[in-house]
């Protein structure tokens, strides 16, 4: 199969969908890889590295889309790319269709096959192509939080781990899933006192088993949260209720109970945030202050560390991409139920119920394509 890797052109996106190591795997398995000139540069992968791995470098985005039977990307195509996408072409990338109608309609019109990273879902409901970005964001949340706790940056001037003779900072983590767990590892590793609040007892049992002694768990409810916030230095929002907006666990009135210079990092901002006063920010202007409390609410945290994020993402996508190239999308989706769940649009039909419902488009069950064609 011919695999094409365009350069990401969305504002501030420096990740790339395939590393030179991934290109080598494709070539080793008898496929051809075409990479748009300088596509990997933002992540530190130069054209020469792809060439050494056996890929060919193409001069333009047009040539790249034109050549690929499967196009692998990171972000959803933007409007200037819509016309480049062909009938029957397989697109494997993050789409987030339900959040943008023009993209959905453009992909329906293109008659391409759209397999979305974010809905690739294993039978146990885990989302293997979202996990790596949650891991990055969880670890980064502590790095950012520790930084913003410094006085010149607006924090209360406390060192996360303290030093002998002083108490370490107190870190509250709302939600003990992927983001929360990674944040807890980082914060505890730096010596902070960490409390993870969750509503799932099995999850808290697991965390109690695996976490070091400076991490405690507590049931998440308003009573406990109100008791804890006056002494917290860093609060990390990491709650997810699948398919729903995040609940506001920290309300506006609670800010007055916090010490000025407390830092809030709401990683759940992409689902509306679990802190009522959270509004999405960017890496250019990541923070703002309300009632003396510093808020960091960047919606694409992994974008700041493209080298790590590219490697983490491609570690997860490559095995699936190799199967898609080997078997073709139809056979690969029959064989792997998680890939089947990633199918959103096939040849002009919306095959993902939630997307069809969101935009009032006709829904065609995916089985129509997997069984009949
Ligand atoms: N900002 C970014 O750049 C970025 C990057 C990656 C992920 N995220 C977001 O981070 C959020 C968390 O993702 P995740 O992968 O850790 O999800 P996850 O499903 O692994 O974990 C969510 C946790 O929240 C818990 N929870 C649910 N309701 C709760 C409540 N009322 N109180 C406390 N805990 C509760 C669940 O039990 C679960 O353990 C998501 O919104 C995700 O989209 C943001």
């Amino acid at each position: 199969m011919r695999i094409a890797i365009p350069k990401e052109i969305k504002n501030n996106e420096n990740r790339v969908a395939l590393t030179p190591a991934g290109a080598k795997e494709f070539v080793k398995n008898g496929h051809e890889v075409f990479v748009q000139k300088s596509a990997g540069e933002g992540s530190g992968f130069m054209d020469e590295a792809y060439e050494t791995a056996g890929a060919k470098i193409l001069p333009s985005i047009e040539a790249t889309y034109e050549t690929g039977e499967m196009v692998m990307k990171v972000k959803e195509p933007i409007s200037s790319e819509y016309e480049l996408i062909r009938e029957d072409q397989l697109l494997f990338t993050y789409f987030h269709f339900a959040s943008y109608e023009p993209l959905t309609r453009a992909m329906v019109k293109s008659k391409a096959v759209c397999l979305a990273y974010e809905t690739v879902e294993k039978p146990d409901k885990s989302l293997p192509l979202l996990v790596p970005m949650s891991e990055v964001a969880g670890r980064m949340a502590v790095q950012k939080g520790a930084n913003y706790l410094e006085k010149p940056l607006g924090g209360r001037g406390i060192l996360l781990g303290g030093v002998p003779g002083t108490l370490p900072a107190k870190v509250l983590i709302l939600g003990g899933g992927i983001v929360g767990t990674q944040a807890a590892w980082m914060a505890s590793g730096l010596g902070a006192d960490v409390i993870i609040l969750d509503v799932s007892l099995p999850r808290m049992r697991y965390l109690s088993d695996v976490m070091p002694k400076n991490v405690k768990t507590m049931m998440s409810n308003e009573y406990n949260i109100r008791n804890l916030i006056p002494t917290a230095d860093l609060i990390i929002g990491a709650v997810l209720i699948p398919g729903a907006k995040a609940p506001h666990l920290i309300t506006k009135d609670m800010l007055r109970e916090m010490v000025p210079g407390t830092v809030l990092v709401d990683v759940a901002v992409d689902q509306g945030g679990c802190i009522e006063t959270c509004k999405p920010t960017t890496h250019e202007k990541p923070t703002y202050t309300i009632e003396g409390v510093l808020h960091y609410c960047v919606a694409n945290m992994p974008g700041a560390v493209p080298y790590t994020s590219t490697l983490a993402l491609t570690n997860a996508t490559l095995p699936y991409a190799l199967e898609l190239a080997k078997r073709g999308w139809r056979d690969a989706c029959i064989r792997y139920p998680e890939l089947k769940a990633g199918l959103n649009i096939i040849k002009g039909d919306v095959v993902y119920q939630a997307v069809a419902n969101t935009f009032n488009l006709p829904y065609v069950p995916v089985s129509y394509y997997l069984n009949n064609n």
Side-chain angles (χ1 to χ4, degrees):
M1 188 184 269
R2 292 192 306 276
I3 324 303
I5 314 295
K7 184 177 169 77
E8 296 296 322
I9 47 179
K10 202 168 172 179
N11 191 20
N12 265 316
E13 182 53 69
N14 286 299
R15 287 174 291 177
V16 62
L18 191 73
T19 61
K24 196 173 176 96
E25 284 304 305
F26 274 117
V27 172
K28 209 169 76 189
N29 283 281
H31 306 291
E32 288 180 279
V33 178
F34 299 87
V35 180
Q36 187 186 338
K37 190 172 162 20
S38 78
E41 253 174 32
S43 296
F45 302 116
M46 299 300 149
D47 291 346
E48 299 71 45
Y50 287 100
E51 283 177 317
T52 306
K56 294 186 184 63
I57 303 297
L58 294 179
S60 65
I61 192 163
E62 290 80 10
T64 310
Y65 272 96
E66 174 70 32
T67 310
E69 291 168 90
M70 169 161 71
V71 174
M72 283 182 75
K73 275 180 56 60
V74 177
K75 298 303 276 188
E76 71 282 358
I78 63 170
S79 56
S80 62
E81 292 173 286
Y82 295 169
E83 291 299 316
L84 305 176
I85 295 164
R86 295 194 316 272
E87 184 165 352
D88 278 343
Q89 199 165 38
L90 171 61
L91 294 174
F92 192 34
T93 187
Y94 287 121
F95 279 104
H96 296 286
F97 278 120
S99 62
Y100 196 45
E101 185 166 358
L103 170 72
T104 308
R105 293 198 178 269
M107 291 306 103
V108 165
K109 190 169 159 226
S110 74
K111 295 197 182 301
V113 177
C114 300
L115 221 154
Y117 291 166
E118 70 276 7
T119 67
V120 170
E121 182 177 323
K122 289 193 170 179
D124 67 1
K125 300 275 172 218
S126 62
L127 302 165
L129 304 189
L130 277 182
V131 166
M133 293 305 103
S134 286
E135 289 172 333
V136 171
R139 291 188 172 213
M140 236 182 107
V142 172
Q143 195 169 304
K144 286 290 166 194
N147 206 223
Y148 284 111
L149 276 171
E150 293 172 16
K151 196 77 179 169
L153 296 180
R156 59 179 298 204
I158 185 167
L159 184 64
L160 216 56
V163 292
T166 72
L167 290 178
K170 249 190 177 175
V171 178
L172 292 191
I173 300 176
L174 308 169
I178 310 286
V179 169
T181 303
Q182 295 305 318
W185 282 121
M186 291 292 280
S188 59
L190 287 170
D193 267 345
V194 182
I195 300 177
I196 305 177
L197 294 115
D198 205 296
V199 286
S200 160
L201 274 177
R203 186 70 193 169
M204 287 192 281
R205 284 195 187 102
Y206 164 78
L207 290 169
S208 294
D209 278 348
V210 300
M211 284 289 158
K213 288 252 173 297
N214 53 339
V215 179
K216 312 278 186 300
T217 58
M218 228 176 153
M219 182 53 76
S220 170
N221 55 45
E222 186 182 337
Y223 185 88
N224 285 343
I225 291 171
R226 277 193 190 275
N227 271 339
L228 290 169
I229 54 174
T231 54
D233 300 295
L234 168 62
I235 302 178
I236 295 174
V239 163
L240 178 66
I241 301 179
K245 269 185 74 139
H248 287 155
L249 302 182
I250 305 272
T251 51
K252 190 162 192 275
D253 66 294
M254 290 183 188
L255 299 189
R256 282 194 288 276
E257 293 166 40
M258 297 176 191
V259 176
T262 299
V263 173
L264 308 182
V265 176
D266 200 348
V267 185
V269 55
D270 58 339
Q271 301 292 329
C274 57
I275 294 165
E276 190 181 5
T277 44
C278 152
K279 54 176 196 289
T281 59
T282 61
H283 290 295
E284 282 76 48
K285 196 173 179 321
T287 62
Y288 57 92
T289 301
I290 301 177
E291 305 268 6
V293 173
L294 191 133
H295 294 54
Y296 174 100
C297 308
V298 174
N300 68 330
M301 294 172 68
V305 287
Y307 176 75
T308 303
S309 298
T310 288
L311 287 172
L313 177 64
T314 57
N315 282 345
T317 53
L318 184 66
Y320 291 118
L322 286 167
E323 286 300 313
L324 288 165
K326 177 177 167 187
R327 301 174 194 280
W329 66 267
R330 199 178 275 109
D331 285 353
C333 289
I334 290 170
R335 195 177 176 99
Y336 299 99
E338 60 265 46
L339 273 182
K340 179 175 157 187
L343 288 167
N344 278 233
I345 295 174
I346 304 177
K347 300 173 194 262
D349 288 324
V350 179
V351 297
Y352 200 85
Q353 183 89 62
V355 175
N357 292 354
T358 306
F359 302 124
N360 215 2
L361 286 163
Y363 166 69
V364 175
V366 73
S367 55
Y368 171 79
Y369 279 97
L370 298 189
N371 300 336
N372 297 352
N373 287 261

